[in-house]
Amino acid sequence: MSKSHRINLFVGASSVLAALSMWYAWQLSGAFPGTWGIVSLCVVAFLLELTPTDLRVNATGSTSFIIHLAAGILFGAFWGGAITAIATLVGKIVQGRSVDRVIFNVAQRTLSIVLAVLVYQQVFDGSVPPSYLAAEAVRPAVVQRDLFLFFVVAATYIFVNVSAVSAAASLSSNRPFREVWHLNVRGLVGYDLAASLLALFVAWMYTKSTASVLGPFLLIVVIVPIVLVRYVYGMYHALQESGQELLQLMVKAIEARDPYTSGHSLRVRELSRAIALELQLSARELEEVEAAALLHDVGKIHEEFAPLLRKESRLTEAETALMQTHALKSAELVGIISKFRGAVQRAVRHHHERWDGQGYPDGLGGSEIPLGSRIILISDTIDAMTTDRPYRKRLPLEVVINELQKCKGTQFDPELVEVAVSSVAVRRLIAGGSSAGDDLVPIPRRSQRLARGSGAFWRLRRA
């Protein structure tokens, strides 16, 4: 089945589920909330829809979910779903989105809010809206209970929404679902849960506005804190992107000295991330591994390495010893950035340590080697084997896997090798390094021997 067919099938299934959920919610729906309720919340949600936030993989998000949640807890599953659907439909059309994206976004957001409120009503027997929203004074215990139930609503909405968006992005980008999930939610789930509290403020403001002649003006006040949240989201993403761009610019400047390693650090980061995702590392550990992988060779920016990187012939023993100091140089440079001191710096320093203790710079072995370093060593070696070098063509998938298996327990962590070779994502990245039909030949045994002394099986020396 082609990618477009899979996407269309997924969009269709999402639409059917959304329609069924709305039908079920209609059976439980209460009274019509009134034109003011529908229009006011639709307008606010629509305005927020016009300022989307780019996510990490083929997707965007917006703070309009705050209004969706508020509509759900105010009016119940059906009317909350209706407001969500109307605001999303108009917003996406105004943004000029394609028909399939409009349909999908309307479906997944409607499904998210309906399921969230149904969970609140049916499983926890929650009242919609919560009684304390309109009360002048309530007991603390009631507020605590309803706050807990509200977070259940918010968590359900976020889970369904992120799952649907990540699945669609995975299908459209041909990347593993787990990877897309991590990329799109890490560091943002906390923001989303915290921001969802504004939905309670919106609901409270709405209940007050309906009893006041200043109702329309009171509700407009709701936009201000939500816009502030949107601004924080934007700053968060801007800082992430600008930081990554600066790091990548620095890495490209280093790799410009050696045309045979162009893009090497970016590819090592991709491979390391894929392995880290298979290990189900936390968001923080995943970021540390990615940063260390990107910066593992940054020390080569020092001038003394320039002639060695450009040298076509075999390195002398003195040159090899000098080249091996790049791990320490890299760690020193990484340590200049306070955020990278600690785990990232250690991972960079020890990325040439071997499982059998024969690596450098400190001769660590086994589990003494930081996990990030062990991951980077495997990724580094994979990229070296799948990159054209002066003395050989890049190697095919089968040869790469055989060499990793051959060196596990000596050069590599045996468990990590098994994780890497059994990972669909890693295999896809390895296979992507070679094109079908290329004349791929095994590396000569003489070249293997020359490369072995560097600490990574396929690196540094040229026959």
Side-chain angles (χ1 to χ4, degrees):
M1 185 183 295
S2 67
K3 181 175 75 172
S4 61
H5 287 158
R6 290 197 303 270
I7 293 174
N8 290 336
L9 182 62
F10 181 72
V11 172
S14 301
S15 302
V16 171
L17 288 175
L20 289 174
S21 69
M22 284 291 282
W23 175 83
Y24 181 75
W26 170 254
Q27 313 303 311
L28 307 173
S29 63
F32 178 63
T35 304
W36 159 243
I38 298 289
V39 173
S40 60
L41 292 183
C42 278
V43 168
V44 177
F46 165 74
L47 292 175
L48 294 174
E49 190 64 42
L50 297 182
T51 56
T53 300
D54 290 332
L55 300 179
R56 296 290 295 275
V57 179
N58 277 17
T60 59
S62 81
T63 49
S64 61
F65 77 93
I66 295 171
I67 305 302
H68 304 163
L69 288 171
I73 63 174
L74 279 169
F75 308 134
F78 177 79
W79 295 111
I83 291 171
T84 298
I86 293 170
T88 303
L89 175 65
V90 177
K92 295 302 179 184
I93 290 176
V94 170
Q95 289 175 346
R97 303 298 187 190
S98 60
V99 174
D100 57 340
R101 290 204 173 203
V102 171
I103 294 173
F104 169 70
N105 278 286
V106 170
Q108 61 92 0
R109 290 183 182 179
T110 302
L111 180 63
S112 297
I113 192 60
V114 169
L115 290 181
V117 178
L118 287 178
V119 166
Y120 178 53
Q121 289 179 283
Q122 301 301 311
V123 178
F124 295 97
D125 194 28
S127 60
V128 177
S131 58
Y132 70 85
L133 286 178
E136 295 298 330
V138 293
R139 292 173 297 168
V142 174
V143 175
Q144 292 175 9
R145 181 204 66 192
D146 282 356
L147 278 176
F148 167 74
L149 295 179
F150 169 74
F151 275 116
V152 171
V153 175
T156 303
Y157 178 93
I158 292 170
F159 175 78
V160 176
N161 174 265
V162 168
S163 297
V165 171
S166 296
S170 175
L171 290 172
S172 63
S173 64
N174 286 322
R175 302 176 79 163
F177 172 79
R178 186 191 305 174
E179 178 181 352
V180 176
W181 170 282
H182 277 274
L183 288 172
N184 279 338
V185 306
R186 66 183 187 188
L188 283 180
V189 171
Y191 283 101
D192 287 345
L193 284 174
S196 66
L197 281 173
L198 285 173
L200 286 178
F201 174 69
V202 173
W204 176 81
M205 185 69 76
Y206 176 85
T207 59
K208 297 303 180 184
S209 68
T210 56
S212 170
V213 294
L214 297 177
F217 301 100
L218 287 174
L219 195 60
I220 295 299
V221 175
V222 168
I223 297 178
V224 176
I226 299 177
V227 168
L228 290 176
V229 170
R230 169 66 183 84
Y231 180 70
V232 171
Y233 274 36
M235 286 188 61
Y236 174 82
H237 280 283
L239 286 173
Q240 274 197 326
E241 292 300 323
S242 62
Q244 286 293 321
E245 288 170 358
L246 286 173
L247 292 177
Q248 291 180 27
L249 178 63
M250 181 169 61
V251 169
K252 283 182 177 293
I254 299 165
E255 292 181 348
R257 292 180 170 181
D258 183 5
Y260 297 104
T261 61
S262 178
H264 167 72
S265 296
L266 292 174
R267 294 191 298 270
V268 170
R269 184 183 65 175
E270 289 293 310
L271 286 162
S272 298
R273 178 171 61 195
I275 296 173
L277 286 170
E278 292 292 337
L279 295 173
Q280 298 184 354
L281 300 185
S282 67
R284 179 178 178 180
E285 291 172 319
L286 184 61
E287 287 186 353
E288 290 171 347
V289 169
E290 284 191 72
L294 181 65
L295 300 173
H296 72 285
D297 279 343
V298 73
K300 291 180 181 178
I301 198 171
H302 288 284
E303 186 60 33
E304 62 261 34
F305 298 116
L308 304 183
L309 292 171
R310 289 192 290 264
K311 187 175 181 180
E312 293 290 340
S313 61
R314 172 182 175 179
L315 299 181
T316 65
E317 289 188 8
E319 289 171 334
T320 298
L322 175 59
M323 180 61 82
Q324 289 180 352
T325 65
H326 83 274
L328 294 174
K329 299 284 189 181
S330 297
E332 289 174 4
L333 287 176
V334 167
I336 294 174
I337 304 175
S338 59
K339 178 182 177 181
F340 294 152
R341 293 171 193 160
V344 175
Q345 188 177 18
R346 289 193 297 272
V348 170
R349 177 186 177 95
H350 299 295
H351 75 274
H352 276 298
E353 305 285 4
R354 292 168 48 113
W355 187 254
D356 59 9
Q358 299 302 307
Y360 62 87
D362 300 319
L364 301 183
S367 58
E368 293 180 325
I369 306 171
L371 177 60
S373 303
R374 286 177 266 156
I375 292 173
I376 293 170
L377 178 61
I378 292 176
S379 303
D380 198 9
T381 307
I382 288 174
D383 185 67
M385 287 191 284
T386 55
T387 303
D388 286 334
R389 296 299 172 91
Y391 51 83
R392 62 157 171 81
K393 291 282 190 177
R394 56 184 180 267
L395 305 178
L397 174 63
E398 295 77 14
V399 175
V400 173
I401 291 176
N402 288 339
E403 291 299 335
L404 291 175
Q405 294 281 14
K406 186 187 302 181
C407 296
K408 69 179 182 181
T410 54
Q411 189 171 350
F412 309 120
D413 180 339
E415 294 184 6
L416 288 185
V417 169
E418 293 303 319
V419 169
V421 301
S422 62
S423 167
V424 175
V426 172
R427 282 175 172 263
R428 183 181 292 115
L429 289 170
I430 294 175
S434 59
S435 303
D438 279 356
D439 182 21
L440 300 175
V441 296
I443 184 171
R445 298 302 299 178
R446 173 172 170 268
S447 295
Q448 289 183 13
R449 289 195 298 272
L450 291 174
R452 210 176 256 137
S454 67
F457 208 82
W458 304 88
R459 305 187 57 233
L460 297 182
R461 299 194 180 188
R462 298 175 173 85

